């Protein structure tokens, strides 16, 4: 392992049960806006923790019922999350019309996008919706 990888392992072991973003926070530098520089999948994991469950009215840092988040943005986040976590959509279409079918279609439309590419797009989408998302206190990145 490289010195950075060894330090990351030590940092994670120092905090019992710490999520992988802790090591990145400990070792990470900051960009010109003050945001932590995180790699992937750590940045995706942090953005996902900020968003919470996109199907829930009260996700993480975004309160979906109050945020200026369009339905198409919600569908995009849902589809990118599924692609990032589950890979290409291989499940059959829901037999009924409605929100479940819209979610399925959004995921299916991502085609063969790689999981890491979906993570990158997810993080970028979160940055567009909430440019200072990383300041959300429970993430511990500020």
């Amino acid at each position: 392992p490289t010195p950075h990888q060894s330090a990351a392992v030590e940092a994670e072991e120092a905090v019992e049960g710490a999520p992988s973003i802790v090591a990145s926070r400990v070792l990470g530098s900051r960009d010109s806006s003050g945001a932590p520089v995180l790699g992937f999948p750590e940045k995706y994991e942090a953005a996902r923790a900020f968003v919470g469950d996109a199907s829930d009215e009260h996700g993480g840092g975004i309160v979906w019922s109050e945020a200026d988040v369009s339905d198409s943005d919600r569908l995009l986040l849902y589809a990118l999350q599924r692609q990032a976590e589950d890979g290409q959509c291989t499940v059959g279409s829901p037999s009924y019309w409605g929100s479940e079918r819209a979610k399925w279609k959004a995921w299916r439309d991502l085609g063969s996008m790689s999981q890491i590419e979906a993570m990158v797009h997810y993080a970028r989408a979160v940055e567009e919706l909430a440019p200072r998302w990383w300041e959300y206190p429970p993430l511990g990145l500020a």
Side-chain angles (χ1 to χ4, degrees), residues 71-81 106 110 121-122 125:
D71 288 341
S72 62
D73 289 335
R74 292 174 201 229
L75 281 173
L76 176 64
L77 288 173
Y78 171 83
L80 289 170
Q81 173 192 330
L110 293 178
H121 285 295
Y122 186 96

Side-chain angles (χ1 to χ4, degrees), residues 71-120:
D71 288 341
S72 62
D73 289 335
R74 292 174 201 229
L75 281 173
L76 176 64
L77 288 173
Y78 171 83
L80 289 170
Q81 173 192 330
R82 291 295 306 263
Q83 191 85 359
E85 295 177 8
D86 301 323
Q88 185 172 355
C89 178
T90 58
V91 298
S93 170
S95 60
Y96 53 89
W97 293 94
S99 64
E100 291 305 308
R101 186 165 176 93
K103 288 178 182 180
W104 172 84
K105 184 179 180 327
W107 180 22
R108 186 204 63 195
D109 287 350
L110 293 178
S112 62
M113 176 186 290
S114 74
Q115 288 180 279
I116 195 72
E117 186 178 359
M119 290 179 189
V120 170

Side-chain angles (χ1 to χ4, degrees), residues 7-81:
V9 169
E10 290 174 17
E12 283 188 321
E13 290 174 352
V15 181
E16 176 125 358
S20 60
I21 61 174
V22 171
S24 298
R25 179 172 48 94
V26 170
L27 300 172
S29 58
R30 305 236 171 224
D31 67 15
S32 61
S33 72
V37 176
L38 299 171
F40 286 91
E42 291 81 9
K43 188 170 187 176
Y44 167 76
E45 292 169 358
R48 178 73 178 88
F50 169 74
V51 171
D53 186 352
S55 65
D56 184 7
E57 286 295 311
H58 301 286
I62 292 179
V63 178
W64 291 100
S65 60
E66 298 172 8
D68 186 20
V69 180
S70 69
D71 288 341
S72 62
D73 289 335
R74 292 174 201 229
L75 281 173
L76 176 64
L77 288 173
Y78 171 83
L80 289 170
Q81 173 192 330

